[in-house]
Amino acid sequence: MQVERSEPLRDGAAAHTPSVELAVIGLGYVGLPLAREAAAVGLKVIGLDRDPKVAAGLNSARSHVDDVSDDDLRRMLAAGFTATTDEDCLARAQTVVICVPTPLNGDGGPDLSAVTAATHAVAARLRPGQLVVLESTTYPGTTEEVVRPLLERESGLKAGADFALAFSPERIDPGNTGHGLRDTPKVVGGCTPSCAARAVAFYGKLVDTVVQAKGTREAEMAKLLENTYRHVNIALVNELAVISHELGIDLWDAIRCADSKPFGFQAFRPGAGVGGHCIPIDPNYLSYKVRSSLGYDFRFVGLAQEINRRMPEYVVRRAQDLLNTADRPLHGSRVLLLGVTYKPDVADQRESPAVPVARLLRRREAEVSFHDPYVAAWTVDDVPVPRVDDPRSAARDHDLTILLQDHSSYDLPALADTARLLFDTRGRIFRPGVEVL
Ligand SMILES: NC(=O)c1ccc[n+]([C@@H]2O[C@H](COP(=O)([O-])OP(=O)(O)OC[C@H]3O[C@@H](n4cnc5c(N)ncnc54)[C@H](O)[C@@H]3O)[C@@H](O)[C@H]2O)c1
């Protein structure tokens, strides 16, 4: 591992004396675990978030992020971590890492407003010798074409000479207890070789393995490749689920069998759609780049989006068919949705396919209620969905129960025993009388 140079990159540029080793901008699902890891290895860390409620909560040891517990926060605070809304804290940091959201705008293109706002804040206080890293997921070219010019223009300093600039994609997987920040290799790409060396040395303190990309574009592309790969393969099995049902083939069993191959195959499983911040959104960033730079479409992404977006409609159609077998129309039936987050065992509801499922059921005049151990109140299209307290007894009172997320607290055999009709979209309950996607 190379050793970090704390001195400025250009001879003679005056270095400031940083009082904190790391400032993290954006204290959400990505920024907070990074701050925790850095504090755990003894770095002095400050967190900047534009939301005063986030900063106040963290300073009171209240975590709003699933994978960071209140106990973790207490440890961080004891190690000197503080959260603030004051951008001036950036001037005191040796390294600044930007972890702000990169959503889509109204036209489905990249919304980089949080990245540019954070970059302005850094640029206004940039000091010789600082390392700036962008971690937000974005299209290839963002670091070089958006972040670097802003920093250089507004500070008068030069990347690779006066300060270091790099991109390092976050690979955090909320709810994953098997892999965390430390044991997941970290990809790092610098604007120049010296920028890369600074970033590699910084992340080498936090993670076991740092993988150096050729440059920032390759590091940006690596992240989008990972997520597009998931997106496309989920679409593949979703389409196969529809086809297999028509053909009378148990796709889940076929996946199990294919997964026995020790090489060349990775199992993906169908579901009611794709959710979360990454998979439904990130491939759009790549599509945007392809269309805006090359003038044609990234067809794989378009096709995967079309298939995945149709899954809620397909789930509702299958639910309707199932009710028909019991001589019940969907209209007027009581339907219970179990698990409305985007994946099991997390509270994150972003882009959850449960929303379009509920919307489509309501459009067909079904009476929808829900249960989720992680969600106390749930609103779809500004109309609250009634919550049941006990999923097992509620399944008895509803005409149809649809398992959308298999949270590990669900007693699936008990649900199968009590539900009048059960539709399992996660492929977890294989027994007569249970409909599986
Ligand atoms: N959540 C994930 O699982 C995940 C995984 C990998 C990569 N990412 C990427 O990481 C980035 C951050 O995602 P996240 O899930 O942590 O988002 P988040 O919404 O959980 O947190 C972002 C935080 O940034 C703050 N913020 C926004 N603009 C700001 C600004 N200008 N200055 C200071 N604070 C600001 C917000 O108040 C919020 O607290 C995104 O680009 C995302 O695509 C997310």
Side-chain angles (χ1 to χ4, degrees), residues 25-31 48-51 54 64 99-102 114 117-118 135-137 170-172 174 223 277-278 282 342 350:
I25 310 183
L27 299 170
Y29 285 88
V30 168
L48 170 68
D49 201 289
R50 69 172 168 199
D51 185 342
V54 167
H64 60 293
C99 304
V100 297
T102 42
E135 283 208 8
S136 302
T137 306
E170 183 42 62
R171 287 171 150 175
I172 212 120
K223 172 71 185 179
H277 178 269
C278 292
D282 298 352
Y342 86 88
R350 291 181 290 181

PDB file of all heavy atoms in Angstrom, residues 25-31 48-51 54 64 99-102 114 117-118 135-137 170-172 174 223 277-278 282 342 350, ligand 1:
ATOM      1  N   ILE A  25     -19.557  14.611   3.301  1.00  0.00           N
ATOM      2  CA  ILE A  25     -20.724  15.438   2.940  1.00  0.00           C
ATOM      3  C   ILE A  25     -21.866  14.512   2.544  1.00  0.00           C
ATOM      4  O   ILE A  25     -21.734  13.736   1.595  1.00  0.00           O
ATOM      5  CB  ILE A  25     -20.422  16.390   1.765  1.00  0.00           C
ATOM      6  CG1 ILE A  25     -19.132  17.164   1.997  1.00  0.00           C
ATOM      7  CG2 ILE A  25     -21.592  17.327   1.538  1.00  0.00           C
ATOM      8  CD1 ILE A  25     -18.824  18.177   0.895  1.00  0.00           C
ATOM      9  N   GLY A  26     -22.996  14.615   3.273  1.00  0.00           N
ATOM     10  CA  GLY A  26     -24.145  13.747   3.017  1.00  0.00           C
ATOM     11  C   GLY A  26     -24.106  12.549   3.950  1.00  0.00           C
ATOM     12  O   GLY A  26     -23.347  11.616   3.735  1.00  0.00           O
ATOM     13  N   LEU A  27     -24.903  12.598   5.012  1.00  0.00           N
ATOM     14  CA  LEU A  27     -24.814  11.565   6.048  1.00  0.00           C
ATOM     15  C   LEU A  27     -25.982  10.595   5.939  1.00  0.00           C
ATOM     16  O   LEU A  27     -26.790  10.463   6.864  1.00  0.00           O
ATOM     17  CB  LEU A  27     -24.758  12.232   7.425  1.00  0.00           C
ATOM     18  CG  LEU A  27     -23.547  13.146   7.611  1.00  0.00           C
ATOM     19  CD1 LEU A  27     -23.656  13.966   8.896  1.00  0.00           C
ATOM     20  CD2 LEU A  27     -22.258  12.333   7.605  1.00  0.00           C
ATOM     21  N   GLY A  28     -26.091   9.927   4.798  1.00  0.00           N
ATOM     22  CA  GLY A  28     -27.177   8.970   4.583  1.00  0.00           C
ATOM     23  C   GLY A  28     -26.662   7.547   4.580  1.00  0.00           C
ATOM     24  O   GLY A  28     -25.713   7.205   5.296  1.00  0.00           O
ATOM     25  N   TYR A  29     -27.283   6.715   3.786  1.00  0.00           N
ATOM     26  CA  TYR A  29     -26.951   5.289   3.723  1.00  0.00           C
ATOM     27  C   TYR A  29     -25.491   5.050   3.382  1.00  0.00           C
ATOM     28  O   TYR A  29     -24.923   4.029   3.751  1.00  0.00           O
ATOM     29  CB  TYR A  29     -27.832   4.589   2.674  1.00  0.00           C
ATOM     30  CG  TYR A  29     -29.246   4.384   3.141  1.00  0.00           C
ATOM     31  CD1 TYR A  29     -30.212   5.360   2.955  1.00  0.00           C
ATOM     32  CD2 TYR A  29     -29.616   3.210   3.788  1.00  0.00           C
ATOM     33  CE1 TYR A  29     -31.503   5.180   3.398  1.00  0.00           C
ATOM     34  CE2 TYR A  29     -30.904   3.017   4.237  1.00  0.00           C
ATOM     35  CZ  TYR A  29     -31.848   4.011   4.038  1.00  0.00           C
ATOM     36  OH  TYR A  29     -33.131   3.829   4.481  1.00  0.00           O
ATOM     37  N   VAL A  30     -24.878   5.974   2.622  1.00  0.00           N
ATOM     38  CA  VAL A  30     -23.492   5.805   2.205  1.00  0.00           C
ATOM     39  C   VAL A  30     -22.540   6.572   3.121  1.00  0.00           C
ATOM     40  O   VAL A  30     -21.546   6.031   3.607  1.00  0.00           O
ATOM     41  CB  VAL A  30     -23.332   6.257   0.730  1.00  0.00           C
ATOM     42  CG1 VAL A  30     -21.878   6.385   0.342  1.00  0.00           C
ATOM     43  CG2 VAL A  30     -24.028   5.249  -0.189  1.00  0.00           C
ATOM     44  N   GLY A  31     -22.851   7.834   3.371  1.00  0.00           N
ATOM     45  CA  GLY A  31     -21.940   8.688   4.127  1.00  0.00           C
ATOM     46  C   GLY A  31     -21.776   8.270   5.575  1.00  0.00           C
ATOM     47  O   GLY A  31     -20.650   8.313   6.119  1.00  0.00           O
ATOM     48  N   LEU A  48     -21.026  16.554   7.366  1.00  0.00           N
ATOM     49  CA  LEU A  48     -21.804  17.736   6.951  1.00  0.00           C
ATOM     50  C   LEU A  48     -23.064  17.260   6.259  1.00  0.00           C
ATOM     51  O   LEU A  48     -22.995  16.454   5.326  1.00  0.00           O
ATOM     52  CB  LEU A  48     -20.968  18.584   5.977  1.00  0.00           C
ATOM     53  CG  LEU A  48     -21.702  19.724   5.270  1.00  0.00           C
ATOM     54  CD1 LEU A  48     -22.102  20.823   6.247  1.00  0.00           C
ATOM     55  CD2 LEU A  48     -20.828  20.316   4.144  1.00  0.00           C
ATOM     56  N   ASP A  49     -24.217  17.729   6.737  1.00  0.00           N
ATOM     57  CA  ASP A  49     -25.465  17.419   6.039  1.00  0.00           C
ATOM     58  C   ASP A  49     -26.297  18.688   5.990  1.00  0.00           C
ATOM     59  O   ASP A  49     -26.320  19.465   6.945  1.00  0.00           O
ATOM     60  CB  ASP A  49     -26.228  16.305   6.765  1.00  0.00           C
ATOM     61  CG  ASP A  49     -27.213  15.617   5.835  1.00  0.00           C
ATOM     62  OD1 ASP A  49     -28.239  16.247   5.478  1.00  0.00           O
ATOM     63  OD2 ASP A  49     -26.952  14.467   5.425  1.00  0.00           O
ATOM     64  N   ARG A  50     -26.970  18.880   4.850  1.00  0.00           N
ATOM     65  CA  ARG A  50     -27.734  20.122   4.749  1.00  0.00           C
ATOM     66  C   ARG A  50     -29.037  20.055   5.552  1.00  0.00           C
ATOM     67  O   ARG A  50     -29.681  21.076   5.767  1.00  0.00           O
ATOM     68  CB  ARG A  50     -28.022  20.444   3.293  1.00  0.00           C
ATOM     69  CG  ARG A  50     -28.996  19.511   2.633  1.00  0.00           C
ATOM     70  CD  ARG A  50     -29.358  20.014   1.268  1.00  0.00           C
ATOM     71  NE  ARG A  50     -30.061  18.969   0.555  1.00  0.00           N
ATOM     72  CZ  ARG A  50     -30.200  18.937  -0.748  1.00  0.00           C
ATOM     73  NH1 ARG A  50     -29.690  19.870  -1.490  1.00  0.00           N
ATOM     74  NH2 ARG A  50     -30.875  17.975  -1.319  1.00  0.00           N
ATOM     75  N   ASP A  51     -29.392  18.856   6.001  1.00  0.00           N
ATOM     76  CA  ASP A  51     -30.641  18.703   6.743  1.00  0.00           C
ATOM     77  C   ASP A  51     -30.349  18.831   8.242  1.00  0.00           C
ATOM     78  O   ASP A  51     -29.715  17.961   8.842  1.00  0.00           O
ATOM     79  CB  ASP A  51     -31.243  17.333   6.416  1.00  0.00           C
ATOM     80  CG  ASP A  51     -32.608  17.121   7.055  1.00  0.00           C
ATOM     81  OD1 ASP A  51     -32.934  17.857   8.011  1.00  0.00           O
ATOM     82  OD2 ASP A  51     -33.336  16.223   6.593  1.00  0.00           O
ATOM     83  N   VAL A  54     -31.160  15.813  10.406  1.00  0.00           N
ATOM     84  CA  VAL A  54     -30.191  14.708  10.329  1.00  0.00           C
ATOM     85  C   VAL A  54     -29.017  14.996  11.263  1.00  0.00           C
ATOM     86  O   VAL A  54     -28.623  14.156  12.078  1.00  0.00           O
ATOM     87  CB  VAL A  54     -29.700  14.518   8.873  1.00  0.00           C
ATOM     88  CG1 VAL A  54     -28.468  13.616   8.817  1.00  0.00           C
ATOM     89  CG2 VAL A  54     -30.816  13.922   8.008  1.00  0.00           C
ATOM     90  N   HIS A  64     -30.562   7.287  11.665  1.00  0.00           N
ATOM     91  CA  HIS A  64     -31.697   7.145  10.746  1.00  0.00           C
ATOM     92  C   HIS A  64     -31.345   6.170   9.630  1.00  0.00           C
ATOM     93  O   HIS A  64     -32.081   6.045   8.658  1.00  0.00           O
ATOM     94  CB  HIS A  64     -32.068   8.513  10.159  1.00  0.00           C
ATOM     95  CG  HIS A  64     -30.939   9.153   9.400  1.00  0.00           C
ATOM     96  ND1 HIS A  64     -29.784   9.577  10.009  1.00  0.00           N
ATOM     97  CD2 HIS A  64     -30.760   9.385   8.079  1.00  0.00           C
ATOM     98  CE1 HIS A  64     -28.960  10.059   9.089  1.00  0.00           C
ATOM     99  NE2 HIS A  64     -29.536   9.949   7.915  1.00  0.00           N
ATOM    100  N   CYS A  99     -20.904  12.326  -0.564  1.00  0.00           N
ATOM    101  CA  CYS A  99     -21.810  11.159  -0.602  1.00  0.00           C
ATOM    102  C   CYS A  99     -23.258  11.636  -0.701  1.00  0.00           C
ATOM    103  O   CYS A  99     -24.119  11.161   0.048  1.00  0.00           O
ATOM    104  CB  CYS A  99     -21.662  10.317   0.656  1.00  0.00           C
ATOM    105  SG  CYS A  99     -20.003   9.754   1.000  1.00  0.00           S
ATOM    106  N   VAL A 100     -23.520  12.569  -1.565  1.00  0.00           N
ATOM    107  CA  VAL A 100     -24.876  13.146  -1.646  1.00  0.00           C
ATOM    108  C   VAL A 100     -25.696  12.402  -2.699  1.00  0.00           C
ATOM    109  O   VAL A 100     -25.144  11.698  -3.546  1.00  0.00           O
ATOM    110  CB  VAL A 100     -24.813  14.664  -1.963  1.00  0.00           C
ATOM    111  CG1 VAL A 100     -24.108  15.405  -0.843  1.00  0.00           C
ATOM    112  CG2 VAL A 100     -24.136  14.911  -3.300  1.00  0.00           C
ATOM    113  N   PRO A 101     -27.025  12.545  -2.658  1.00  0.00           N
ATOM    114  CA  PRO A 101     -27.864  11.758  -3.569  1.00  0.00           C
ATOM    115  C   PRO A 101     -27.722  12.178  -5.032  1.00  0.00           C
ATOM    116  O   PRO A 101     -27.440  13.341  -5.335  1.00  0.00           O
ATOM    117  CB  PRO A 101     -29.296  12.049  -3.089  1.00  0.00           C
ATOM    118  CG  PRO A 101     -29.177  12.771  -1.810  1.00  0.00           C
ATOM    119  CD  PRO A 101     -27.818  13.368  -1.742  1.00  0.00           C
ATOM    120  N   THR A 102     -27.930  11.200  -5.905  1.00  0.00           N
ATOM    121  CA  THR A 102     -27.941  11.462  -7.350  1.00  0.00           C
ATOM    122  C   THR A 102     -29.230  10.858  -7.917  1.00  0.00           C
ATOM    123  O   THR A 102     -29.193   9.777  -8.513  1.00  0.00           O
ATOM    124  CB  THR A 102     -26.700  10.840  -8.030  1.00  0.00           C
ATOM    125  OG1 THR A 102     -26.463   9.546  -7.476  1.00  0.00           O
ATOM    126  CG2 THR A 102     -25.473  11.692  -7.820  1.00  0.00           C
ATOM    127  N   ALA A 114     -27.418  18.019  -6.205  1.00  0.00           N
ATOM    128  CA  ALA A 114     -26.794  17.861  -4.883  1.00  0.00           C
ATOM    129  C   ALA A 114     -25.270  17.757  -5.030  1.00  0.00           C
ATOM    130  O   ALA A 114     -24.519  18.288  -4.202  1.00  0.00           O
ATOM    131  CB  ALA A 114     -27.347  16.625  -4.172  1.00  0.00           C
ATOM    132  N   ALA A 117     -24.027  21.249  -5.734  1.00  0.00           N
ATOM    133  CA  ALA A 117     -24.108  22.084  -4.521  1.00  0.00           C
ATOM    134  C   ALA A 117     -22.975  21.732  -3.565  1.00  0.00           C
ATOM    135  O   ALA A 117     -22.304  22.625  -3.011  1.00  0.00           O
ATOM    136  CB  ALA A 117     -25.467  21.882  -3.837  1.00  0.00           C
ATOM    137  N   ALA A 118     -22.739  20.426  -3.394  1.00  0.00           N
ATOM    138  CA  ALA A 118     -21.665  20.010  -2.482  1.00  0.00           C
ATOM    139  C   ALA A 118     -20.304  20.441  -3.043  1.00  0.00           C
ATOM    140  O   ALA A 118     -19.420  20.875  -2.289  1.00  0.00           O
ATOM    141  CB  ALA A 118     -21.701  18.487  -2.294  1.00  0.00           C
ATOM    142  N   GLU A 135     -18.137  10.077  -4.158  1.00  0.00           N
ATOM    143  CA  GLU A 135     -18.586   8.673  -4.039  1.00  0.00           C
ATOM    144  C   GLU A 135     -19.974   8.488  -4.625  1.00  0.00           C
ATOM    145  O   GLU A 135     -20.403   7.351  -4.840  1.00  0.00           O
ATOM    146  CB  GLU A 135     -18.583   8.225  -2.571  1.00  0.00           C
ATOM    147  CG  GLU A 135     -17.229   7.918  -2.014  1.00  0.00           C
ATOM    148  CD  GLU A 135     -17.264   6.878  -0.883  1.00  0.00           C
ATOM    149  OE1 GLU A 135     -18.332   6.281  -0.635  1.00  0.00           O
ATOM    150  OE2 GLU A 135     -16.213   6.673  -0.245  1.00  0.00           O
ATOM    151  N   SER A 136     -20.706   9.572  -4.843  1.00  0.00           N
ATOM    152  CA  SER A 136     -22.072   9.447  -5.361  1.00  0.00           C
ATOM    153  C   SER A 136     -22.050   8.726  -6.703  1.00  0.00           C
ATOM    154  O   SER A 136     -21.185   8.991  -7.540  1.00  0.00           O
ATOM    155  CB  SER A 136     -22.692  10.831  -5.555  1.00  0.00           C
ATOM    156  OG  SER A 136     -22.706  11.543  -4.352  1.00  0.00           O
ATOM    157  N   THR A 137     -23.010   7.849  -6.914  1.00  0.00           N
ATOM    158  CA  THR A 137     -23.104   7.124  -8.182  1.00  0.00           C
ATOM    159  C   THR A 137     -23.487   8.090  -9.287  1.00  0.00           C
ATOM    160  O   THR A 137     -24.443   8.864  -9.137  1.00  0.00           O
ATOM    161  CB  THR A 137     -24.178   6.030  -8.064  1.00  0.00           C
ATOM    162  OG1 THR A 137     -23.880   5.233  -6.936  1.00  0.00           O
ATOM    163  CG2 THR A 137     -24.222   5.173  -9.306  1.00  0.00           C
ATOM    164  N   GLU A 170     -19.333   3.899  -4.127  1.00  0.00           N
ATOM    165  CA  GLU A 170     -19.759   3.210  -2.915  1.00  0.00           C
ATOM    166  C   GLU A 170     -20.423   1.899  -3.309  1.00  0.00           C
ATOM    167  O   GLU A 170     -21.179   1.828  -4.266  1.00  0.00           O
ATOM    168  CB  GLU A 170     -20.731   4.095  -2.127  1.00  0.00           C
ATOM    169  CG  GLU A 170     -21.174   3.494  -0.834  1.00  0.00           C
ATOM    170  CD  GLU A 170     -20.026   2.823  -0.101  1.00  0.00           C
ATOM    171  OE1 GLU A 170     -19.052   3.494   0.278  1.00  0.00           O
ATOM    172  OE2 GLU A 170     -20.097   1.599   0.084  1.00  0.00           O
ATOM    173  N   ARG A 171     -20.111   0.834  -2.569  1.00  0.00           N
ATOM    174  CA  ARG A 171     -20.707  -0.474  -2.889  1.00  0.00           C
ATOM    175  C   ARG A 171     -21.558  -0.972  -1.726  1.00  0.00           C
ATOM    176  O   ARG A 171     -21.757  -2.179  -1.588  1.00  0.00           O
ATOM    177  CB  ARG A 171     -19.597  -1.483  -3.160  1.00  0.00           C
ATOM    178  CG  ARG A 171     -18.922  -1.252  -4.477  1.00  0.00           C
ATOM    179  CD  ARG A 171     -17.720  -2.122  -4.576  1.00  0.00           C
ATOM    180  NE  ARG A 171     -17.436  -2.480  -5.952  1.00  0.00           N
ATOM    181  CZ  ARG A 171     -16.366  -3.166  -6.330  1.00  0.00           C
ATOM    182  NH1 ARG A 171     -15.491  -3.546  -5.433  1.00  0.00           N
ATOM    183  NH2 ARG A 171     -16.172  -3.449  -7.584  1.00  0.00           N
ATOM    184  N   ILE A 172     -22.007  -0.044  -0.904  1.00  0.00           N
ATOM    185  CA  ILE A 172     -22.740  -0.446   0.293  1.00  0.00           C
ATOM    186  C   ILE A 172     -24.009  -1.200  -0.106  1.00  0.00           C
ATOM    187  O   ILE A 172     -24.636  -0.869  -1.097  1.00  0.00           O
ATOM    188  CB  ILE A 172     -23.043   0.809   1.139  1.00  0.00           C
ATOM    189  CG1 ILE A 172     -23.045   0.478   2.607  1.00  0.00           C
ATOM    190  CG2 ILE A 172     -24.330   1.485   0.741  1.00  0.00           C
ATOM    191  CD1 ILE A 172     -22.028   1.270   3.347  1.00  0.00           C
ATOM    192  N   PRO A 174     -27.293  -2.129   1.763  1.00  0.00           N
ATOM    193  CA  PRO A 174     -28.043  -2.030   3.014  1.00  0.00           C
ATOM    194  C   PRO A 174     -28.641  -3.377   3.420  1.00  0.00           C
ATOM    195  O   PRO A 174     -29.199  -4.088   2.592  1.00  0.00           O
ATOM    196  CB  PRO A 174     -29.154  -1.024   2.678  1.00  0.00           C
ATOM    197  CG  PRO A 174     -28.599  -0.205   1.563  1.00  0.00           C
ATOM    198  CD  PRO A 174     -27.742  -1.145   0.765  1.00  0.00           C
ATOM    199  N   LYS A 223     -19.010   1.110 -11.346  1.00  0.00           N
ATOM    200  CA  LYS A 223     -20.217   1.108 -10.516  1.00  0.00           C
ATOM    201  C   LYS A 223     -21.466   0.899 -11.379  1.00  0.00           C
ATOM    202  O   LYS A 223     -22.363   0.118 -11.035  1.00  0.00           O
ATOM    203  CB  LYS A 223     -20.303   2.442  -9.757  1.00  0.00           C
ATOM    204  CG  LYS A 223     -21.591   2.677  -9.013  1.00  0.00           C
ATOM    205  CD  LYS A 223     -21.715   1.794  -7.797  1.00  0.00           C
ATOM    206  CE  LYS A 223     -23.079   1.959  -7.145  1.00  0.00           C
ATOM    207  NZ  LYS A 223     -23.236   1.096  -5.978  1.00  0.00           N
ATOM    208  N   HIS A 277     -32.474   2.591  -4.190  1.00  0.00           N
ATOM    209  CA  HIS A 277     -31.980   3.789  -4.864  1.00  0.00           C
ATOM    210  C   HIS A 277     -31.168   3.460  -6.102  1.00  0.00           C
ATOM    211  O   HIS A 277     -31.117   4.218  -7.053  1.00  0.00           O
ATOM    212  CB  HIS A 277     -31.134   4.639  -3.908  1.00  0.00           C
ATOM    213  CG  HIS A 277     -30.582   5.832  -4.613  1.00  0.00           C
ATOM    214  ND1 HIS A 277     -29.360   5.813  -5.243  1.00  0.00           N
ATOM    215  CD2 HIS A 277     -31.129   7.019  -4.866  1.00  0.00           C
ATOM    216  CE1 HIS A 277     -29.177   6.976  -5.834  1.00  0.00           C
ATOM    217  NE2 HIS A 277     -30.234   7.722  -5.624  1.00  0.00           N
ATOM    218  N   CYS A 278     -30.532   2.293  -6.114  1.00  0.00           N
ATOM    219  CA  CYS A 278     -29.524   2.045  -7.164  1.00  0.00           C
ATOM    220  C   CYS A 278     -30.079   1.421  -8.435  1.00  0.00           C
ATOM    221  O   CYS A 278     -29.981   2.013  -9.507  1.00  0.00           O
ATOM    222  CB  CYS A 278     -28.430   1.145  -6.601  1.00  0.00           C
ATOM    223  SG  CYS A 278     -27.461   1.957  -5.335  1.00  0.00           S
ATOM    224  N   ASP A 282     -29.676   3.959 -11.400  1.00  0.00           N
ATOM    225  CA  ASP A 282     -28.325   4.140 -11.926  1.00  0.00           C
ATOM    226  C   ASP A 282     -28.188   3.850 -13.419  1.00  0.00           C
ATOM    227  O   ASP A 282     -27.484   4.590 -14.125  1.00  0.00           O
ATOM    228  CB  ASP A 282     -27.323   3.279 -11.138  1.00  0.00           C
ATOM    229  CG  ASP A 282     -27.276   3.680  -9.675  1.00  0.00           C
ATOM    230  OD1 ASP A 282     -27.889   4.709  -9.333  1.00  0.00           O
ATOM    231  OD2 ASP A 282     -26.649   2.970  -8.879  1.00  0.00           O
ATOM    232  N   TYR A 342     -38.127  -2.120  -0.183  1.00  0.00           N
ATOM    233  CA  TYR A 342     -37.681  -2.600  -1.486  1.00  0.00           C
ATOM    234  C   TYR A 342     -36.897  -3.903  -1.417  1.00  0.00           C
ATOM    235  O   TYR A 342     -36.693  -4.572  -2.422  1.00  0.00           O
ATOM    236  CB  TYR A 342     -36.887  -1.515  -2.230  1.00  0.00           C
ATOM    237  CG  TYR A 342     -35.414  -1.445  -1.915  1.00  0.00           C
ATOM    238  CD1 TYR A 342     -34.500  -2.222  -2.623  1.00  0.00           C
ATOM    239  CD2 TYR A 342     -34.928  -0.611  -0.924  1.00  0.00           C
ATOM    240  CE1 TYR A 342     -33.136  -2.164  -2.337  1.00  0.00           C
ATOM    241  CE2 TYR A 342     -33.579  -0.557  -0.635  1.00  0.00           C
ATOM    242  CZ  TYR A 342     -32.689  -1.326  -1.343  1.00  0.00           C
ATOM    243  OH  TYR A 342     -31.361  -1.276  -1.056  1.00  0.00           O
ATOM    244  N   ARG A 350     -37.422   3.269  -0.778  1.00  0.00           N
ATOM    245  CA  ARG A 350     -37.226   4.014  -2.016  1.00  0.00           C
ATOM    246  C   ARG A 350     -37.477   3.149  -3.247  1.00  0.00           C
ATOM    247  O   ARG A 350     -36.952   2.055  -3.353  1.00  0.00           O
ATOM    248  CB  ARG A 350     -35.810   4.606  -2.048  1.00  0.00           C
ATOM    249  CG  ARG A 350     -35.660   5.712  -1.024  1.00  0.00           C
ATOM    250  CD  ARG A 350     -34.295   6.332  -1.061  1.00  0.00           C
ATOM    251  NE  ARG A 350     -33.270   5.438  -0.558  1.00  0.00           N
ATOM    252  CZ  ARG A 350     -31.992   5.769  -0.471  1.00  0.00           C
ATOM    253  NH1 ARG A 350     -31.603   6.967  -0.850  1.00  0.00           N
ATOM    254  NH2 ARG A 350     -31.112   4.929  -0.001  1.00  0.00           N
TER     255      ARG A 350
HETATM  256  N1  LIG B   1     -28.118   3.652  -0.550  1.00  0.00           N
HETATM  257  C1  LIG B   1     -27.348   2.787  -1.161  1.00  0.00           C
HETATM  258  O1  LIG B   1     -27.491   1.585  -0.952  1.00  0.00           O
HETATM  259  C2  LIG B   1     -26.257   3.224  -2.098  1.00  0.00           C
HETATM  260  C3  LIG B   1     -25.307   2.274  -2.473  1.00  0.00           C
HETATM  261  C4  LIG B   1     -24.291   2.655  -3.319  1.00  0.00           C
HETATM  262  C5  LIG B   1     -24.216   3.965  -3.795  1.00  0.00           C
HETATM  263  N2  LIG B   1     -25.162   4.883  -3.415  1.00  0.00           N
HETATM  264  C6  LIG B   1     -25.013   6.244  -3.933  1.00  0.00           C
HETATM  265  O2  LIG B   1     -24.500   7.084  -2.921  1.00  0.00           O
HETATM  266  C7  LIG B   1     -25.064   8.422  -3.027  1.00  0.00           C
HETATM  267  C8  LIG B   1     -25.738   8.798  -1.728  1.00  0.00           C
HETATM  268  O3  LIG B   1     -26.813   7.912  -1.517  1.00  0.00           O
HETATM  269  P1  LIG B   1     -27.455   7.678  -0.089  1.00  0.00           P
HETATM  270  O4  LIG B   1     -28.280   6.427  -0.241  1.00  0.00           O
HETATM  271  O5  LIG B   1     -26.441   7.736   0.992  1.00  0.00           O
HETATM  272  O6  LIG B   1     -28.408   8.957   0.019  1.00  0.00           O
HETATM  273  P2  LIG B   1     -29.268   9.423   1.297  1.00  0.00           P
HETATM  274  O7  LIG B   1     -30.460  10.096   0.748  1.00  0.00           O
HETATM  275  O8  LIG B   1     -29.413   8.288   2.253  1.00  0.00           O
HETATM  276  O9  LIG B   1     -28.334  10.489   2.023  1.00  0.00           O
HETATM  277  C9  LIG B   1     -27.867  11.616   1.408  1.00  0.00           C
HETATM  278  C10 LIG B   1     -27.713  12.715   2.448  1.00  0.00           C
HETATM  279  O10 LIG B   1     -27.111  13.810   1.772  1.00  0.00           O
HETATM  280  C11 LIG B   1     -27.677  15.009   2.282  1.00  0.00           C
HETATM  281  N3  LIG B   1     -27.439  16.058   1.301  1.00  0.00           N
HETATM  282  C12 LIG B   1     -28.019  16.245   0.094  1.00  0.00           C
HETATM  283  N4  LIG B   1     -27.481  17.297  -0.541  1.00  0.00           N
HETATM  284  C13 LIG B   1     -26.532  17.800   0.278  1.00  0.00           C
HETATM  285  C14 LIG B   1     -25.621  18.881   0.182  1.00  0.00           C
HETATM  286  N5  LIG B   1     -25.569  19.623  -0.901  1.00  0.00           N
HETATM  287  N6  LIG B   1     -24.809  19.123   1.229  1.00  0.00           N
HETATM  288  C15 LIG B   1     -24.837  18.342   2.319  1.00  0.00           C
HETATM  289  N7  LIG B   1     -25.667  17.302   2.466  1.00  0.00           N
HETATM  290  C16 LIG B   1     -26.501  17.023   1.449  1.00  0.00           C
HETATM  291  C17 LIG B   1     -29.117  14.667   2.511  1.00  0.00           C
HETATM  292  O11 LIG B   1     -29.725  15.539   3.445  1.00  0.00           O
HETATM  293  C18 LIG B   1     -29.018  13.220   3.022  1.00  0.00           C
HETATM  294  O12 LIG B   1     -28.956  13.170   4.438  1.00  0.00           O
HETATM  295  C19 LIG B   1     -26.000   8.351  -4.221  1.00  0.00           C
HETATM  296  O13 LIG B   1     -25.332   8.790  -5.359  1.00  0.00           O
HETATM  297  C20 LIG B   1     -26.309   6.874  -4.340  1.00  0.00           C
HETATM  298  O14 LIG B   1     -26.631   6.524  -5.671  1.00  0.00           O
HETATM  299  C21 LIG B   1     -26.172   4.531  -2.565  1.00  0.00           C
END
